[in-house]
Amino acid sequence: LDQALLGRAFVPSLASLFQLANGGMHAMHLRHDSQSFMDDVASFFDFALRRGDPTCIIATADVRQGVNERLRALGWDVGGSSGHKRYAVIDAADALNRFMRNGLPDPNRLREIAEELDEYRRAAAEGTSARLTIFGNMVEMLSAEGNTNAVISLERLWNTFTHDRPFLTLCGYATSCFHDGVPDLWRDACDAHRALSHADDV
């Protein structure tokens, strides 16, 4: 209720989130089990691909594989040697290695990534009002390392570098990220996002 009173949206599904975000939005998706939310994420990308929008998944290998399998079942050519031109795949660890310096995100390197993704959006789009739909779970890796300062720094910097870009960014959080050892993480994570969705198992 506190978050809703601050103007953040709680949405019942990623389908409703996709409709709610007319332009760009930075949202978080909460889940418990690693398998439970992949149907939702695949549907999220399916909506974007059918709309003609470019998409990008920045995730760990298990999540990429699970989402790719579900997208192929929906008829999309993803995950192969060529793959779909509007479905970019980035390994979460590779992305973190690119912009993390001394335990925190480097603003200049993260800005470069945002600019590159915007160039990809414009080049791959099928339509003049294309939006880039992104799902990532890099924050889960940082949280597992106990680096919650980097989690919130990453979220806040991403807001700075994408606030004027048509990016629909969905950040995947496991419920295990939030525990008594990091009492402020839930509040700070909510503060960094405009909307919250959750998997069926939460």
Side-chain angles (χ1 to χ4, degrees):
L1 286 174
D2 289 341
Q3 297 301 321
L5 290 170
L6 289 172
R8 295 179 186 89
F10 287 75
V11 293
S13 69
L14 293 185
S16 56
L17 174 64
F18 193 87
Q19 300 301 323
L20 177 67
N22 292 325
M25 179 180 284
H26 189 189
M28 62 186 289
H29 188 61
L30 191 64
R31 53 94 177 162
H32 179 68
D33 179 73
S34 61
Q35 297 294 322
S36 64
F37 73 111
M38 292 186 193
D39 287 340
D40 291 341
V41 175
S43 295
F44 189 63
F45 280 120
D46 182 52
F47 287 130
L49 290 167
R50 292 184 188 284
R51 188 175 180 263
D53 292 344
T55 61
C56 179
I57 184 167
I58 309 172
T60 51
D62 59 330
V63 172
R64 296 196 315 270
Q65 180 179 344
V67 173
N68 287 352
E69 289 172 355
R70 288 159 174 80
L71 283 172
R72 285 195 293 269
L74 291 169
W76 296 104
D77 178 19
V78 299
S81 57
S82 57
H84 197 286
K85 72 170 188 175
R86 288 187 287 110
Y87 184 72
V89 179
I90 301 172
D91 178 73
D94 289 345
L96 288 170
N97 287 336
R98 182 173 173 193
F99 66 74
M100 290 292 291
R101 293 295 179 271
N102 301 315
L104 288 171
D106 180 276
N108 292 327
R109 291 177 181 270
L110 198 60
R111 182 188 294 110
E112 289 175 1
I113 291 172
E115 291 170 353
E116 290 170 7
L117 286 173
D118 204 24
E119 290 175 7
Y120 156 68
R121 176 190 65 83
R122 292 192 298 268
E126 294 179 1
T128 56
S129 61
R131 174 172 67 192
L132 177 61
T133 296
I134 307 170
F135 172 81
N137 70 339
M138 291 180 293
V139 290
E140 292 184 4
M141 297 180 66
L142 294 171
S143 178
E145 297 169 358
N147 195 349
T148 55
N149 287 335
V151 170
I152 299 307
S153 178
L154 173 58
E155 299 289 23
R156 290 173 176 165
L157 285 170
W158 195 248
N159 280 333
T160 298
F161 299 141
T162 64
H163 76 278
D164 59 348
R165 303 180 193 270
F167 285 16
L168 173 52
T169 304
L170 182 67
C171 300
Y173 280 81
T175 54
S176 60
C177 294
F178 306 102
H179 51 81
D180 292 342
V182 286
D184 297 331
L185 182 59
W186 174 254
R187 181 202 64 208
D188 291 343
C190 287
D191 287 348
H193 298 89
R194 281 183 50 204
L196 169 66
S197 183
H198 60 83
D200 290 341
D201 64 0
V202 174

